[in-house]
Amino acid sequence: MAFQFEPTVVIETIPMLMRGLKLTLQITVGGIFFGFLLGSGAGLLKISRNFFIRKIAGIYIESIRGTPMLVQAMFLYYGVPMAVGIRIPPITAGIIIIAVNSGAYIAEIVRGAVQSINPGQMEAGRSIGLTHTQTMLHIIWPQALKRMIPPLGNQFIISLKDTSLLMVIGVGELMRTGQEITAVNFRAFEVYMAVALVYLVLTISISRAMLYVEKRLSTNKG
Amino acid sequence: MIQIENLHKSFGSLEVIKGVDLHVKTGEVVCIIGPSGSGKSTVLRCINRLEKPTSGRIIVDGHDIMAKATNINTVRAEAGMVFQQFNLFPHMTVLENVTLGPIKVRSMAKKESQTFGLSLLDKVGLIEKADAFPEQLSGGQKQRVAIARSLALQPKVILFDEPTSALDPELVGEVLEVMKQLAHEGMTMVVVTHEMGFAREVADRVIFIDQGKIQEQGPPDQFFTNPKNERLKEFLGMVISHI
C-alpha cells in the first residue's frame, strides 16, 4: 500500500503537542537563565588574575564541551543518584543539564566579549579611581553584553533544540510527546513534521527576539 | 606633589626605564619629550600605577604608590589621566562620562554631579554636547570631554599621555587651548607630548627622555635654544626641521 500523506494528522497533532511544548519551554527558559548566570560566572573566572581560579573554570568548560549532552543527561539522571542516593525529578534534572551544558558555551562567549573590549576602557575606569569591580560592572560589562547578543542567540537556539535529548531521561517534553503520539497512531511522518514545525516556530521566535534586542541596544549607541 | 626616585621598569627582560628621578612641584607644568619607545609614556603611566614599577619609589601627594597600605584608587582619583586614544566610555553620554567618577568615587549626589559636570563641560566648551554619545564627537571634542572627565574628580595633578597625537592637525589647537587654560589656573600637569610649541609656551620645565633615562631638563627657553645633550640636539633638529 502506497504511503498517503494525511495533512489533517499534522493539524490534529499540534494541540496534543502543546503539553510537551509547555515542558520544553519551562526547561529552556530555566536552563538558559541559570546557564547564563553560570556561564557569566565561569567566563569571568576564566579571565581571573588567579591561576587556580582560571584552571577551575577551564576544567568545567573543557569537560562539558568535550562530552556529549546525551551522556551528561544519562550520567546526572541515572548515574549520580546511584552514588548520592537522591533521585532528581526529571524536569529539575533537565533544567540542570541545560544550564550546566549551555553555561560552558556561554562562558566562552562571555570571555570572548569581555576580552574584546579595548584595554583602554579598563585603564580609563581605573584612572578615575574606580575599583576593578566597579570598572567591570559599569564600563566593561555593558559594552561586552552588547557584543554577546548574537552568539548568545545562537546558543539559546542550540539549547532549545537540545532539550529534545532529554526524552531519554523521561522528560515529557515536545519530542517525547511526539514519540508517544506516534506509538499510538503510527503516523511518524505527520507527527514528526508537526514536531519539527513547532521547534521551527520557537527557534525563529528566539532569533527574531534577539535581533530586536540587538537593534534596540544599537540605537542606544556604544 | 610628585617625587619619583630611581624608577626602573622592565617588560620581561627588556628594561625600558633605567633609573629616572623626577620631582614635580605643586602648580608646575612639566612637559616630557623624546623619541618613540624612549620610555616617556611608561614613566607617566607608572605615576598612577597603570604600569607597576619594577623598582624605585614614587610618592604622589604624600602617598607612596608602592606601599601596601596605600589605596591606589584614592591616589588615582587625585592624579587624573588623559589618554592618547581618549578612552571615553562609548555606552554613556558625554555628561555620564563626566559624572561617573564623582558619583562612584566621590559619592556625590546625582543631581549635584550633573550640575558640576555641566559646569566642567562648559569650561571645555562642550556644554551643548552633554547628551551626545562619544561616537558623535570629533577627536578634539572627545579629548576635551576626557579632560572634563578627569577634572570631575578634582584631581591635584593631571597626567597627559600624548593627548594630541591621535588628532587631525586642525583639531590639535582646541585641545591645547583647554590645557593652556588649566595651566594658567595653576593645575599641576605632567604632559608627554610632541607639541614643541606647547611645551615652549606653557611648560615650566621640559624634560628629554631617551633610552629610559632623563638626558636633559630645564626651563623651555634654555632647553630649546641651547640644548647641550647631543641626542637632544639631534632630536630637536629632526622635529623642528619638519615644521
Side-chain angles (χ1 to χ4, degrees):
Chain A
M1 202 174 74
F3 173 75
Q4 272 231 305
F5 178 57
E6 298 275 1
T8 50
V9 177
V10 178
I11 311 292
E12 282 164 14
T13 310
I14 287 180
M16 295 159 75
L17 289 174
M18 290 302 123
R19 211 162 23 93
L21 172 66
K22 197 178 145 211
L23 269 185
T24 292
L25 285 177
Q26 276 174 356
I27 293 170
T28 305
V29 171
I32 285 174
F33 176 78
F34 290 111
F36 182 68
L37 293 184
L38 192 62
S40 300
L44 293 176
L45 295 184
K46 187 85 192 291
I47 45 180
S48 159
R49 283 162 291 187
N50 184 310
F51 174 82
F52 290 101
I53 291 177
R54 279 204 309 274
K55 270 281 166 265
I56 291 169
I59 289 170
Y60 160 61
I61 295 166
E62 288 300 325
S63 57
I64 295 299
R65 285 198 313 182
T67 53
M69 202 190 91
L70 199 54
V71 177
Q72 294 161 14
M74 301 289 253
F75 180 73
L76 181 79
Y77 189 68
Y78 297 112
V80 172
M82 287 188 75
V84 187
I86 311 162
R87 210 164 182 87
I88 311 159
I91 299 171
T92 313
I95 291 175
I96 293 173
I97 290 156
I98 294 294
V100 169
N101 186 273
S102 66
Y105 293 93
I106 291 172
E108 288 294 280
I109 293 172
V110 168
R111 182 185 64 80
V114 168
Q115 286 184 327
S116 77
I117 304 299
N118 188 325
Q121 292 288 309
M122 177 55 85
E123 290 190 348
R126 299 308 305 272
S127 80
I128 58 172
L130 296 177
T131 63
H132 182 88
T133 311
Q134 282 176 319
T135 311
M136 267 309 213
L137 189 66
H138 300 292
I139 294 164
I140 309 295
W141 188 254
Q143 296 182 57
L145 196 58
K146 215 189 112 183
R147 293 191 189 175
M148 287 177 214
I149 301 293
L152 274 182
N154 203 21
Q155 182 55 44
F156 292 169
I157 287 173
I158 291 171
S159 289
L160 169 79
K161 293 189 296 179
D162 278 353
T163 58
S164 64
L165 295 171
L166 298 172
M167 66 180 283
V168 299
I169 60 166
V171 179
E173 43 65 62
L174 192 53
M175 177 62 194
R176 185 169 177 111
T177 311
Q179 199 194 28
E180 282 164 1
I181 296 168
T182 318
V184 177
N185 69 5
F186 303 107
R187 302 301 305 190
F189 188 89
E190 288 85 352
V191 173
Y192 289 127
M193 176 179 276
V195 168
L197 277 174
V198 178
Y199 278 117
L200 193 60
V201 168
L202 292 177
T203 54
I204 289 173
S205 306
I206 292 180
S207 58
R208 287 291 154 85
M210 296 309 269
L211 217 56
Y212 175 75
V213 173
E214 204 181 327
K215 272 198 184 136
R216 281 222 26 186
L217 284 178
S218 69
T219 50
N220 269 332
K221 303 293 172 204
Chain B
M1 177 62 56
I2 300 172
Q3 283 123 29
I4 302 177
E5 279 156 24
N6 199 20
L7 175 68
H8 288 260
K9 171 70 188 175
S10 304
F11 292 104
S13 59
L14 181 70
E15 188 175 36
V16 287
I17 308 295
K18 300 167 185 166
V20 163
D21 293 274
L22 173 64
H23 290 217
V24 180
K25 292 192 288 273
T26 303
E28 196 178 13
V29 176
V30 173
C31 284
I32 302 177
I33 65 168
S36 311
S38 59
K40 55 194 192 307
S41 284
T42 308
V43 171
L44 194 76
R45 290 162 57 83
C46 282
I47 296 174
N48 66 351
R49 224 177 76 188
L50 280 185
E51 298 292 355
K52 209 169 167 196
T54 307
S55 68
R57 235 157 87 92
I58 300 181
I59 313 284
V60 179
D61 189 32
H63 302 282
D64 180 346
I65 68 152
M66 302 289 280
K68 279 221 156 64
T70 303
N71 179 351
I72 193 65
N73 298 314
T74 316
V75 180
R76 284 176 178 153
E78 298 300 340
M81 184 170 245
V82 173
F83 300 88
Q84 181 178 354
Q85 297 297 337
F86 329 125
N87 294 341
L88 292 181
F89 308 133
H91 59 302
M92 296 180 180
T93 65
V94 164
L95 184 60
E96 286 166 348
N97 265 273
V98 177
T99 58
L100 184 70
I103 293 170
K104 297 294 171 196
V105 179
R106 298 287 191 224
S107 311
M108 200 186 268
K110 197 174 175 195
K111 198 110 196 158
E112 194 190 341
S113 76
Q114 285 174 336
T115 315
F116 180 50
L118 287 172
S119 75
L120 291 173
L121 287 176
D122 192 31
K123 188 184 173 112
V124 299
L126 287 170
I127 196 161
E128 77 283 0
K129 296 286 185 190
D131 296 322
F133 283 89
E135 67 167 25
Q136 296 162 303
L137 305 181
S138 72
Q141 290 172 330
K142 282 182 193 166
Q143 197 58 299
R144 287 188 281 152
V145 172
I147 293 173
R149 178 176 70 182
S150 79
L151 285 174
L153 278 300
Q154 299 174 284
K156 298 201 168 109
V157 51
I158 301 187
L159 313 169
F160 292 86
D161 189 4
E162 301 198 32
T164 57
S165 298
L167 297 177
D168 290 341
E170 75 268 24
L171 302 176
V172 169
E174 62 190 67
V175 172
L176 293 182
E177 265 323 303
V178 170
M179 291 169 62
K180 252 184 239 177
Q181 189 193 333
L182 285 178
H184 288 314
E185 289 170 8
M187 177 60 81
T188 310
M189 296 162 63
V190 183
V191 186
V192 169
T193 187
H194 291 296
E195 295 293 331
M196 298 303 154
F198 176 83
R200 192 164 199 157
E201 190 186 335
V202 183
D204 296 307
R205 187 154 45 116
V206 185
I207 288 174
F208 176 63
I209 292 186
D210 188 30
Q211 298 185 327
K213 280 185 175 156
I214 293 181
Q215 306 285 352
E216 182 158 346
Q217 57 179 310
D221 291 345
Q222 182 193 321
F223 185 92
F224 286 109
T225 51
N226 190 18
K228 292 177 187 66
N229 180 281
E230 281 309 315
R231 300 194 60 87
L232 174 58
K233 282 182 196 168
E234 199 183 317
F235 179 71
L236 288 176
M238 287 202 304
V239 176
I240 288 163
S241 67
H242 281 296
I243 298 172

